[in-house]
Amino acid sequence: MQNNNRISSGVNGLDEVLKGGYIQGYPYLIKGGPGSGKTLFGLHFLAEGILKGEKVVCISFDESVEEIKRQGEDFKLPVDQIKFIDMLSVFGILTKDQIYLWTSSSMSEIFDFIKAIEDVAVGAKRVFIDGIGVLSDVIGDGALYRRIISTIVRRLSGHNTTTLLSSEAYEEPGRSMLSYVVSGEIVLEVKEVGGRLLRLLRLLKFRGDAHVGSHYFDIRNGKIRVYPIIEFPVKTGKRKETVSTGNEELDRMFGGGILRGSHVIISGKNGVGKTNICLQLLMENDRRGETGVFYSFDEQEDIILERFRKIFDYEPKKLVFRELENVSSIGEFYANAVEDLREISPSIIVIDPANILEYYSVSKNEIVGVMTKLENMTKESGGIMVSVLEVTEAMDVFHFTGYGVSQFSDYLLSGRHIELGGELLKAIAVVKNRFGDHERSFRLLEIKDGEGLKIGEPLRKFSGIISGHFQEMS
């Protein structure tokens, strides 16, 4: 009889997606193209059973047993304790000499085939059937193919065996014959974005509670890790209070400081002072004796620390620096940030620049989804999230963010270059404060070694600042 007991998938991170793992006694399908990782997911599933003292069986319709074992050995999995059955060799189908085509008149061979699978799986808690889609080449009738697969999984489920099937992704996801006879379907995809290969795991359906949708995964250094794009519980406790930026003029621009549990977007073109404003916020947070995290996709830790020393004459004591240039995907970045929020409870996190994540994700919607979840968890913890957005439009074109995400911020500070008397100057303005009033004027920003941020008086007597060519009003 089937039950609602969950069993681990054996893959780091996948159990979180499945909210505890597969349901004992149910059949599941994992699909993907060549090299997507289907066999490795299956072997990890079996290896987890071995760790729990269970009998496990691998039935192959595709690769040779020797090749499957080699893959498992590369990942240091206990393949010597897995019972392997090469069904192609047993039945001689799809050989060079002969290809059998089963029809409804081939019932004797079909019954023998089904019974052979049932017999080798007797007593097994976990069965992985690799490359079962090959049977569609053997069975000439689509309806018969479905009946045979359905009979196999039903009989295995009758023994309370959890079955994982793998198949190539020929049909549209969720529309294949196999999709209709299983209790859950996972699709593995490999996509190229900007020269970077991203691995995507899509949970299409699951009969039970699970995080259906898209997640990321990685196969690296002999390990598989799934990065769930879900919200996790975080520690709470920080008071909802307004804290200073550490710069009186910047505080005035924000309307008195920044409220804990808020999201600040700092946007502008390259060289307008975005990162240095972030360092100002991190420095003041550090002076309060609180932990801050700087996620950098652009600059190395030693360069940032040198900026602290040179511009602010300051050595951070509780700043955690994360260099993220080599993360595999937006999923890995998100996993790192979630771990920090749950383990070290930072009072402020800075992501610089956030829009570079487009090179680590398959779509803009993925970025918005990840950033929204990260924002929600940061707010729940009482921390401040700061996102730096690089505006790439021409210098004489003004955009608040250039990315259409200003609506997700609680505070929006925009910077730009302006020209006065042939000199290129930096100007900043707070455009948005969701919680109250704020200053509505641009101010000039200077960054001086040893003195930090020098913010001038409001430029109320000037016009044309947004265009970049401002002049004093008469």
Side-chain angles (χ1 to χ4, degrees):
M1 293 295 291
Q2 295 174 348
N3 54 59
N4 290 323
N5 292 333
R6 300 279 181 146
I7 64 170
S8 175
S9 65
V11 175
N12 186 6
L14 183 54
D15 287 352
E16 283 80 4
V17 173
L18 302 177
K19 291 192 175 181
Y22 300 116
I23 299 176
Q24 178 72 50
Y26 278 53
Y28 298 93
L29 172 64
I30 186 164
K31 298 181 67 176
S36 58
K38 302 182 298 298
T39 301
L40 288 174
F41 273 75
L43 290 176
H44 278 75
F45 167 68
L46 298 181
E48 182 67 19
I50 291 172
L51 289 176
K52 299 184 182 306
E54 300 171 352
K55 177 184 176 181
V56 301
V57 175
C58 177
I59 302 173
S60 175
F61 287 93
D62 191 2
E63 296 179 280
S64 67
V65 169
E66 290 72 22
E67 174 59 23
I68 295 175
K69 285 184 176 181
R70 187 193 64 76
Q71 291 185 52
E73 290 168 351
D74 288 344
F75 283 73
K76 296 181 172 54
L77 299 178
V79 293
D80 56 324
Q81 299 180 56
I82 298 174
K83 183 176 182 179
F84 287 92
I85 305 294
D86 186 343
M87 293 303 289
L88 294 185
S89 298
V90 171
F91 281 86
I93 56 178
L94 297 184
T95 63
K96 293 181 180 178
D97 300 328
Q98 188 173 16
I99 296 179
Y100 287 95
L101 291 178
W102 286 346
T103 66
S104 56
S105 62
S106 311
M107 297 311 297
S108 176
E109 293 94 334
I110 292 172
F111 284 142
D112 289 343
F113 173 75
I114 294 174
K115 189 175 186 304
I117 292 179
E118 188 176 11
D119 287 346
V120 299
V122 170
K125 287 294 185 181
R126 300 169 185 241
V127 171
F128 173 47
I129 305 180
D130 193 20
I132 198 167
V134 169
L135 285 180
S136 64
D137 297 327
V138 179
I139 304 168
D141 186 299
L144 180 61
Y145 172 57
R146 178 174 176 175
R147 284 165 53 198
I148 291 174
I149 301 299
S150 180
T151 301
I152 291 171
V153 299
R154 188 172 64 250
R155 291 193 179 183
L156 292 178
S157 294
H159 295 292
N160 203 29
T161 299
T162 308
T163 306
L164 185 61
L165 310 156
S166 83
S167 176
E168 295 290 329
Y170 296 121
E171 305 92 346
E172 180 182 350
R175 300 284 183 173
S176 70
M177 287 288 186
L178 293 172
S179 302
Y180 295 98
V181 301
V182 294
S183 298
E185 181 172 354
I186 295 171
V187 177
L188 305 179
E189 299 177 345
V190 181
K191 296 191 175 183
E192 182 178 353
V193 178
R196 189 183 303 272
L197 291 180
L198 303 179
R199 294 184 180 269
L200 197 67
L201 180 149
R202 290 200 287 158
L203 181 61
L204 294 188
K205 75 171 187 177
F206 195 88
R207 290 175 186 166
D209 195 14
H211 295 284
V212 174
S214 296
H215 309 271
Y216 288 80
F217 75 101
D218 191 22
I219 302 175
R220 186 167 55 181
N221 300 325
K223 296 180 181 179
I224 302 178
R225 182 175 178 184
V226 173
Y227 303 112
I229 307 299
I230 60 179
E231 289 187 31
F232 291 87
V234 294
K235 299 175 184 177
T236 59
K238 297 183 181 68
R239 294 180 297 169
K240 292 285 186 178
E241 61 180 352
T242 299
V243 295
S244 173
T245 65
N247 183 295
E248 291 184 6
E249 301 305 321
L250 192 56
D251 282 346
R252 291 191 182 98
M253 295 181 71
F254 277 113
I258 298 174
L259 186 69
R260 290 189 189 271
S262 62
H263 183 194
V264 182
I265 289 181
I266 301 176
S267 70
K269 295 178 175 63
N270 187 41
V272 298
K274 301 183 300 297
T275 299
N276 287 323
I277 293 173
C278 291
L279 299 188
Q280 173 68 51
L281 303 182
L282 288 166
M283 179 177 66
E284 185 62 19
N285 182 76
D286 197 76
R287 283 173 170 164
R288 289 192 291 266
E290 300 178 16
T291 301
V293 182
F294 191 113
Y295 299 102
S296 176
F297 290 90
D298 268 354
E299 299 185 270
Q300 297 177 336
E301 182 176 9
D302 57 346
I303 295 176
I304 293 297
L305 293 178
E306 177 59 25
R307 277 211 212 181
F308 270 115
R309 288 189 289 266
K310 185 176 180 180
I311 298 173
F312 299 96
D313 192 24
Y314 188 78
E315 292 278 355
K317 301 172 181 62
K318 301 195 70 175
L319 174 65
V320 178
F321 192 89
R322 308 288 192 205
E323 293 183 27
L324 298 176
E325 183 180 1
N326 294 321
V327 295
S328 62
S329 67
I330 192 173
E332 185 176 359
F333 155 70
Y334 182 68
N336 290 337
V338 167
E339 183 177 358
D340 285 337
L341 285 172
R342 303 184 77 186
E343 298 296 328
I344 64 178
S345 299
S347 296
I348 182 171
I349 65 171
V350 171
I351 306 165
D352 183 16
N355 45 327
I356 203 172
L357 288 170
E358 65 182 293
Y359 298 106
Y360 296 84
S361 61
V362 295
S363 71
K364 180 180 175 181
N365 288 337
E366 292 280 347
I367 301 173
V368 172
V370 164
M371 296 298 282
T372 299
K373 290 177 174 62
L374 189 56
E375 176 185 340
N376 291 340
M377 287 186 291
T378 306
K379 287 184 174 183
E380 179 68 21
S381 72
I384 296 171
M385 175 174 166
V386 182
S387 302
V388 175
L389 294 180
E390 191 82 31
V391 177
T392 57
E393 281 77 6
M395 188 172 291
D396 60 346
V397 177
F398 180 76
H399 284 277
F400 288 140
T401 66
Y403 213 63
V405 295
S406 59
Q407 69 268 28
F408 299 108
S409 67
D410 297 310
Y411 299 92
L412 173 58
L413 185 149
S414 182
R416 65 160 301 117
H417 291 104
I418 59 176
E419 182 269 331
L420 179 64
E423 184 178 2
L424 199 60
L425 305 174
K426 299 179 179 68
I428 58 174
V430 173
V431 180
K432 176 182 178 181
N433 176 353
R434 192 187 300 275
F435 309 109
D437 201 9
H438 62 91
E439 189 177 276
R440 288 169 168 77
S441 299
F442 273 93
R443 294 187 182 216
L444 293 181
L445 170 66
E446 290 185 83
I447 300 169
K448 294 189 174 183
D449 290 352
E451 299 182 38
L453 306 184
K454 307 297 290 184
I455 299 176
E457 294 296 319
L459 298 173
R460 296 192 178 98
K461 297 181 179 180
F462 294 85
S463 65
I465 296 178
I466 288 181
S467 69
H469 303 279
F470 78 112
Q471 58 186 358
E472 189 170 1
M473 294 184 293
S474 57

